[in-house]
Amino acid sequence: MVRTPCRDENGRNKGTWTPEEDRKLAAYITKYGSWNWRQLPKYAGLARCGKSCRLRWMNYLRPNVKRGNYTKEEDEIILNLHAQLGNKWSAIAVHLPGRSDNEIKNHWHTSLKKRANYNLSEGSKKCNNKKSESNITKRMSSVENQNASATNNNNNNMHEHIVLESSEWSPKESSSEELSSIDYQQDIFHEEFGNLEEITSGSFWTEPFEVDGKIDFVAPSIDYCGLVCPPSPFMPHEFFDFDDCNNYW
DNA sequence: AAGGCAAGCAACCGCCTCTCG
DNA sequence: CCGAGAGGCGGTTGCTTGCCT
């Protein structure tokens, strides 16, 4: 199911992400956001290319990401949107909070494509049911509203706003499914990261970065939380409320 | 029990678009 | 306007797993 870890010609890791890599990436983005995907792995202490980091974050580590267990409703939305938009996975993903374009694409290829083909052939026998179509549209707009309110909530939290590009970070009170995804996210942080003390203490963030097999001594400064502050004009130290650091976790 | 095969899915690749100097 | 760099997207690959023979 997963690619085995290996290295490319530049010595960068490829294949499966290890729990350690996940931990580093999530900790870094949670703190600083994705200010520059290509530079990020260097400062996060990851021997990965930026694109790989982005993909991993967007599809797996991002908060509130839902995995598996597609509801009938979601399937219908995907089928309907695909009929309208074609293979515009990112556009379809906009209508399904918590689902990534990659996951939707996979789900389409593995199960919905067959259903779509079946429906197509069935459709030639029966006329389209406009009633059911309007039901789907209604459901879609309700999902979109949820999404929009989530986005509004995002604006109320600086950290959340930084971390997410277009997404559904803020916890929504909600269905058991959404709760389970939040649980999943918390699991990631608790199982992989432990508590803040564990992350920020010890040598984890103070060890010199090893990039492409070389130690990078121009590593950026360590912030009050023990994370590595990116040398970005967009991310000045004073941008963050470090006093709030522990509260955030 | 063992080998073959298909399904599922994480991740890679390469192209396109956007932004900025 | 143009070129370079970065982000985003869709197609594809390849590994694992589970089922079937």
Side-chain angles (χ1 to χ4, degrees):
Chain A
M1 199 183 287
V2 289
R3 289 159 192 250
T4 49
C6 60
R7 287 177 182 261
D8 67 9
E9 64 277 5
N10 299 316
R12 285 186 303 209
N13 292 348
K14 289 179 75 174
T16 328
W17 278 68
T18 64
E20 177 70 5
E21 287 177 311
D22 283 347
R23 192 164 70 93
K24 286 183 180 181
L25 180 62
Y28 192 87
I29 295 178
T30 300
K31 181 63 193 160
Y32 293 111
S34 52
W35 54 279
N36 183 323
W37 284 114
R38 295 198 187 205
Q39 297 294 317
L40 187 148
K42 183 179 169 186
Y43 293 107
L46 291 162
R48 291 272 178 179
C49 75
K51 282 190 172 189
S52 182
C53 292
R54 178 186 165 272
L55 206 66
R56 183 65 178 169
W57 173 257
M58 297 302 283
N59 295 331
Y60 198 83
L61 299 174
R62 191 169 51 122
N64 281 5
V65 113
K66 286 190 212 167
R67 308 187 48 70
N69 299 325
Y70 278 80
T71 63
K72 200 175 172 186
E73 194 171 298
E74 285 177 314
D75 283 351
E76 283 179 25
I77 291 169
I78 295 168
L79 284 165
N80 191 44
L81 285 170
H82 186 269
Q84 291 174 26
L85 304 169
N87 296 353
K88 301 288 179 191
W89 306 115
S90 57
I92 294 172
V94 166
H95 298 274
L96 294 160
R99 301 290 187 190
S100 72
D101 53 354
N102 198 46
E103 210 198 5
I104 292 170
K105 179 172 60 182
N106 280 335
H107 184 55
W108 169 264
H109 286 304
T110 54
S111 49
L112 295 183
K113 197 154 101 176
K114 297 163 204 161
R115 254 179 73 182
N117 289 338
Y118 173 79
N119 288 346
L120 212 62
S121 57
E122 284 294 297
S124 63
K125 294 173 195 166
K126 298 175 192 170
C127 286
N128 280 342
N129 187 336
K130 289 195 175 179
K131 204 172 179 179
S132 75
E133 193 181 326
S134 71
N135 282 341
I136 293 168
T137 311
K138 271 184 202 167
R139 290 194 203 112
M140 276 167 53
S141 54
S142 106
V143 172
E144 281 167 35
N145 286 339
Q146 254 187 356
N147 204 12
S149 78
T151 306
N152 286 337
N153 289 341
N154 286 346
N155 294 336
N156 296 330
N157 185 313
M158 179 70 85
H159 295 300
E160 294 168 9
H161 190 59
I162 297 162
V163 169
L164 296 176
E165 291 171 322
S166 65
S167 69
E168 321 70 30
W169 163 276
S170 61
K172 298 169 287 214
E173 43 193 278
S174 40
S175 66
S176 56
E177 212 171 76
E178 281 163 336
L179 281 175
S180 71
S181 71
I182 292 165
D183 289 344
Y184 168 77
Q185 179 202 344
Q186 288 171 343
D187 284 348
I188 285 262
F189 283 105
H190 285 123
E191 285 175 18
E192 303 294 350
F193 295 54
N195 58 35
L196 182 63
E197 266 76 20
E198 287 168 22
I199 296 168
T200 58
S201 67
S203 62
F204 178 70
W205 289 106
T206 53
E207 281 175 353
F209 292 121
E210 198 172 343
V211 180
D212 295 343
K214 287 173 273 179
I215 304 292
D216 184 1
F217 284 109
V218 284
S221 57
I222 309 295
D223 71 21
Y224 300 108
C225 292
L227 296 177
V228 181
C229 184
S232 162
F234 306 108
M235 292 288 172
H237 275 83
E238 54 272 23
F239 188 76
F240 299 100
D241 177 10
F242 293 118
D243 293 335
D244 195 38
C245 204
N246 286 316
N247 294 336
Y248 177 66
W249 286 81

